[in-house]
Amino acid sequence: MTFSNPLPDRTFVRADGMLAEFMCHAHLLELTVERARELRRIHRFHRPDECIVHLEVAYVLLIEDGD
């Protein structure tokens, strides 16, 4: 069976590991607010539409501010 639109591959890395600091196209596992602040500083110059880490960090910090 062949799918016309296969699901995109996704890479997951632990948020507290070094890969989260260097990979922009990775989804983060177990991201804490403290680590989100660190990764925000590291990825701050990356464009949000090109850096998944940037987006996930922004989401976690937005949720934290809403509480």
Side-chain angles (χ1 to χ4, degrees):
M1 177 181 271
T2 305
F3 294 103
S4 60
N5 291 326
L7 295 174
D9 291 333
R10 293 191 174 152
T11 303
F12 293 87
V13 299
R14 292 183 50 87
D16 62 351
M18 292 292 292
L19 287 176
E21 297 178 8
F22 294 100
M23 295 180 68
C24 289
H25 297 284
H27 296 272
L28 303 173
L29 299 171
E30 302 175 5
L31 180 60
T32 63
V33 172
E34 180 181 340
R35 183 61 172 161
R37 289 184 180 119
E38 292 173 359
L39 290 172
R40 178 178 61 179
R41 185 185 54 77
I42 293 168
H43 290 267
R44 70 184 175 272
F45 296 119
H46 301 177
R47 294 179 54 183
D49 57 339
E50 295 176 356
C51 181
I52 295 170
V53 172
H54 188 103
L55 293 175
E56 290 195 11
V57 163
Y59 177 75
V60 166
L61 294 175
L62 178 68
I63 297 300
E64 174 66 17
D65 287 341
D67 287 343

